[in-house]
């Protein structure tokens, strides 16, 4: 007799119920050099479940962290002007509201190229970024930002507390959801946060993902999809409390959560309001998640039907933005170079390479106009406004944008 153990919740150990299967998938940020041996490409099974105990939505399989966050991690946060403005405003808000005492100290998890910390540095406030991807850390260091190349976990946090003292703020954007081992992270937070300190983090919001069918927010790096309810339970488990939430428009809809030690701060009314909204929507109910999975399958059919028709009509189609998200779409839908000739992207580290799994060639943004295609598939739909403002000549030449969020549509 063979027995397979169903994966247990990474937070509370209760059983997981799978509701979405996105199939065999590559590492979303592992772009191949043209001479790479495709047989060596790493694949895993991308499926999502929700915990029948604490409601946390999470991947059924964990990809080893060293495979994803390497020296050559290609994503540079400063590549979008909208995101640069977002993080400048975020830093100013933290400086004004939380970093006002004597000699304040801020730690950022996943600081990447220093897009947020550079403003903290300019304000002369003590800071430390922690990021395991050495290449982006070097870019931050070149700006004068202090960075430790490491995975944040309990041991790292204890070292930081011993060397730099306790932090008034620990901040993380689009990083906490990348870390399966939250028990170690929370023991680390307990060690490094000052008694009255706060942990502020922002990540894609399950409520927006379900509402907009933005299933491409699910890939190897995004291990968790948070809600106020699952975050409140998580915080409580480790002696913290959810004291504020704020919905953010970036990356297609996120929530910024503020945690303090239990009892240290009075929760803002926004917390109860978002919890009530989630309950009203049934966001933790199996039926809601199953209906989302049905819409995901429908989105694949619609996108494939559109791209196949355009190919059969002899139209030229390219994609815009070699996002990590698009690895899920291209590999789940089966979008190869027969349907999309190439992807344009401004990131030098992605150009001249092939996208993971689907092997679409990546070319510089200048290739977009040589000549303009008939259709452009917006892989970076979350940056639609910024990209369309940059490319007015495309629509002027008669070109059409295609999106798949919230539904497959020619714009
Ligand atoms: O959570 C994560 C987010 C913050 O960043 C990481 N796990 C990985 C990454 O996800 P992504 O690759 O899906 O993020 P973006 O921000 O949607 O990626 C945009 C891509 O499009 C980048 O490769 C840059 C490119 N781009 C472009 O070519 N022209 C972006 C803009 C704004 C442009 O004008
Ligand atoms: N904060 C930036 C970067 C997000 S990309 C932004 O919002 O744009 C995710 C980042 O988290 C990557 O730079 C990756 O190297 C980093 N990361 C992954 N695991 C981590 C961990 N355990 N501790 C700290 N950083 C981590
Ligand atoms: Zn659980």
């Amino acid at each position: 007799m063979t027995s397979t153990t169903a994966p247990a919740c990474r937070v509370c150990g209760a059983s997981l119920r799978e509701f979405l299967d996105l199939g065999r998938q590559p590492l979303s940020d592992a772009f191949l050099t043209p001479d790479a041996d495709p047989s060596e490409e790493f694949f895993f099974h991308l499926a999502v479940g929700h915990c029948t105990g604490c409601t946390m939505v999470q991947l059924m399989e964990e990809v080893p962290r060293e495979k994803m966050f390497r020296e050559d991690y290609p994503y540079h946060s400063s590549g979008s002007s909208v995101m640069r403005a977002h993080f400048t405003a975020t830093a100013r808000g933290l400086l004004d509201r939380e970093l006002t005492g004597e000699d304040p100290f801020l730690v950022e998890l996943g600081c990447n190229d220093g897009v947020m910390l550079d403003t903290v540095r300019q304000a002369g406030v003590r800071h430390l970024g922690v990021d395991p991807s050495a290449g982006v850390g070097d870019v931050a260091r070149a700006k004068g930002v202090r960075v430790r190349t490491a995975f944040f976990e309990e041991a790292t946090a204890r070292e930081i507390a011993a060397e730099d003292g306790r932090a008034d703020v620990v901040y993380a954007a689009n990083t906490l959801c990348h870390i399966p081992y939250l028990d170690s992270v929370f023991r680390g937070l307990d060690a490094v946060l000052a008694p009255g300190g706060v942990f502020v983090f922002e990540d894609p919001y399950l409520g927006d993902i379900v509402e907009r069918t933005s299933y491409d927010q699910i890939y190897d790096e995004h291990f968790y999809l948070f809600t106020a309810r699952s975050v409140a339970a998580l915080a409580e488990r480790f002696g913290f409390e959810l004291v504020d939430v704020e919905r953010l428009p970036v990356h297609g809809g996120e929530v910024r959560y503020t945690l303090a030690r239990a009892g240290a701060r009075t929760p803002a009314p926004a917390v109860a309001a978002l919890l009530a909204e989630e309950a009203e929507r049934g966001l933790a109910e199996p039926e809601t998640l199953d209906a989302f999975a049905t819409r995901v399958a429908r989105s694949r059919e619609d996108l494939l039907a559109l791209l196949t028709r355009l190919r059969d009509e002899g139209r030229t189609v390219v994609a815009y933005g070699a996002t990590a998200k698009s690895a899920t779409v291209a590999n789940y839908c089966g979008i190869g170079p027969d349907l999309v000739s190439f992807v344009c992207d401004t990131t030098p580290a992605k150009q001249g390479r092939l996208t993971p799994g689907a092997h679409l060639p990546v070319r510089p943004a200048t290739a977009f106009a040589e000549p303009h295609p008939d259709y452009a598939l917006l892989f970076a739909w979350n940056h639609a406004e910024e990209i369309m403002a940059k490319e007015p000549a495309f629509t002027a030449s008669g070109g059409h944008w295609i999106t798949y969020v919230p539904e497959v549509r020619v714009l």
Side-chain angles (χ1 to χ4, degrees):
M1 222 175 78
T2 56
S3 73
T4 51
T5 325
C9 173
R10 204 63 171 78
V11 175
C12 79
S15 62
L16 293 178
R17 190 188 74 100
E18 183 179 315
F19 62 87
L20 177 63
D21 185 345
L22 294 165
R24 189 171 171 267
Q25 292 280 347
L27 301 169
S28 60
D29 266 314
F31 291 80
L32 285 75
T33 54
D35 60 349
D37 177 356
S39 71
E40 292 197 349
E41 201 170 4
F42 176 90
F43 287 90
F44 74 108
H45 187 173
L46 181 62
V48 197
H50 68 104
C51 175
T52 54
C54 72
T55 78
M56 185 67 85
V57 170
Q58 59 202 273
L59 301 192
M60 304 296 286
E61 186 181 329
E62 186 177 329
V63 171
R65 62 187 190 178
E66 293 78 12
K67 287 198 182 296
M68 298 184 281
F69 309 114
R70 311 157 316 246
E71 159 80 42
D72 60 347
Y73 184 69
Y75 184 71
H76 288 239
S77 304
S78 296
S80 150
S81 62
V82 170
M83 293 314 298
R84 286 197 302 273
H86 169 77
F87 286 120
T88 303
T90 300
R92 294 211 176 109
L94 292 172
L95 289 165
D96 290 348
R97 285 195 302 277
E98 301 289 344
L99 299 163
T100 52
E102 201 187 312
D103 189 26
F105 178 42
L106 176 142
V107 172
E108 184 182 14
L109 321 184
C111 65
N112 200 273
D113 62 5
V115 67
M116 198 286 288
L117 283 182
D118 198 35
T119 302
V120 178
R121 176 195 67 79
Q122 283 169 41
V125 166
R126 262 191 331 124
H127 62 272
L128 179 67
V130 183
D131 200 303
S133 299
V136 289
D138 287 341
V139 175
R141 278 186 203 98
K143 297 173 181 166
V145 166
R146 253 185 98 216
V147 184
R148 175 188 285 251
T149 298
F151 287 96
F152 185 86
E153 57 190 359
E154 186 182 358
T156 329
R158 291 197 181 283
E159 284 165 24
I160 295 168
E163 288 166 27
D164 290 310
R166 300 245 200 158
D168 303 282
V169 175
V170 175
Y171 174 77
N174 306 297
T175 298
L176 196 71
C177 75
H178 294 58
I179 312 184
Y181 41 96
L182 292 179
D183 47 344
S184 173
V185 166
F186 272 87
R187 287 194 302 271
L189 286 169
D190 196 34
V192 80
L193 258 187
V198 284
F199 176 40
V200 180
F201 63 98
E202 57 197 65
D203 285 291
Y205 180 47
L206 181 69
D208 288 308
I209 293 168
V210 165
E211 187 178 313
R212 315 174 86 175
T213 318
S214 44
Y215 68 91
D216 57 348
Q217 287 291 8
I218 303 164
Y219 51 91
D220 54 348
E221 298 175 19
H222 285 183
F223 188 80
Y224 292 111
L225 302 176
F226 297 130
T227 60
R229 178 165 171 189
S230 63
V231 166
L234 170 73
E236 196 182 326
R237 188 175 182 84
F238 294 105
F240 286 82
E241 187 175 5
L242 178 59
V243 297
D244 206 359
V245 288
E246 183 188 351
R247 295 187 72 159
L248 305 173
V250 295
H251 289 308
E254 303 205 319
V255 169
R256 176 179 293 159
Y257 306 90
T258 302
L259 309 190
R261 287 200 165 78
R265 290 195 187 193
T266 308
V271 176
L274 190 56
L275 288 169
E277 186 184 318
E278 290 178 358
E280 168 83 13
R281 289 180 58 188
L283 199 51
E285 302 304 324
E287 300 73 39
T288 306
L289 299 169
D290 290 346
F292 165 66
T294 303
R295 290 195 300 279
V296 171
R298 173 69 193 276
S299 175
R300 163 164 69 177
E301 282 171 28
D302 290 350
L303 186 55
L304 265 184
L306 173 63
L307 294 176
T308 308
R309 177 170 65 79
L310 295 176
R311 179 193 58 195
D312 295 349
E313 290 172 1
R315 312 286 182 192
T316 52
V317 182
V318 310
Y320 207 107
T323 55
K325 292 183 288 292
S326 67
T328 294
V329 175
N331 289 285
Y332 172 66
C333 299
I335 300 171
D338 57 322
L339 294 176
V340 166
S341 341
F342 63 87
V343 192
C344 353
D345 196 289
T346 50
T347 314
K350 297 181 182 179
Q351 295 162 0
R353 300 203 172 207
L354 302 172
T355 63
H359 299 173
L360 305 172
V362 184
R363 300 178 52 188
T366 48
F368 192 51
E370 297 172 353
H372 280 118
D374 298 320
Y375 291 83
L377 178 60
L378 251 183
F379 274 166
W381 54 268
N382 49 311
H383 301 299
E385 269 183 40
E386 180 174 348
I387 290 172
M388 288 177 183
K390 262 187 203 172
E391 303 286 1
F394 170 56
T395 35
S397 77
H400 299 284
W401 294 101
I402 300 171
T403 188
Y404 40 83
V405 176
E407 66 252 319
V408 175
R409 219 154 34 102
V410 176
L411 302 179

